[in-house]
Amino acid sequence: MANLGGWRGDTLARLRALIKQADPDVVEEWKWDNPVWSHGGIICTGEAYKATVKTTFPKGASLPDPKGIFNSSLTGGTRRAIDFREGEPIDEEGFIALIQAALAANLAK
């Protein structure tokens, strides 16, 4: 993440901190050249693109999203994602709730 620099690196670092806040026992690994956070299964992945930083939740379609922060991959059968753009605020409360919902789904299996 540090190699990215700029707003994308800062955004991924902030998301990482929020994920660790939501689940102190989360495991971070690097797969497919991206961070992958898991606990009882994959919670989400992080990807950096030119115009966005994306977090993808492989089981996102089954997660409650009362704040409506999923804004990408909305037609996928199982996954959902959030695209973060430069200068846009992060709905930290909504993001933490999604992390906790994904964790609960993983641990319920």
Side-chain angles (χ1 to χ4, degrees):
M1 285 184 235
N3 292 339
L4 281 176
W7 74 271
R8 294 178 305 154
D10 293 344
T11 299
L12 268 175
R14 182 66 192 135
L15 294 173
R16 169 198 263 168
L18 292 172
I19 291 166
K20 289 183 177 187
Q21 178 182 334
D23 178 9
D25 297 322
V26 72
V27 174
E28 180 181 312
E29 301 174 281
W30 281 81
K31 298 180 181 181
W32 316 292
D33 294 323
N34 293 299
V36 177
W37 293 280
S38 61
H39 184 165
I42 295 175
I43 293 174
C44 68
T45 64
E47 305 99 45
Y49 300 99
K50 183 176 181 178
T52 63
V53 169
K54 179 184 293 280
T55 53
T56 301
F57 292 71
K59 299 176 190 168
S62 65
L63 300 178
D65 182 17
K67 298 272 231 155
I69 65 171
F70 281 131
N71 62 11
S72 183
S73 303
L74 299 176
T75 59
T78 57
R79 67 185 173 100
R80 295 287 183 268
I82 306 165
D83 286 346
F84 300 93
R85 291 175 178 78
E86 184 175 14
E88 291 181 351
I90 295 172
D91 180 341
E92 294 184 0
E93 182 181 313
F95 186 73
I96 288 171
L98 284 175
I99 297 299
Q100 291 171 335
L103 172 62
N106 285 351
L107 298 180
K109 340 180 213 181

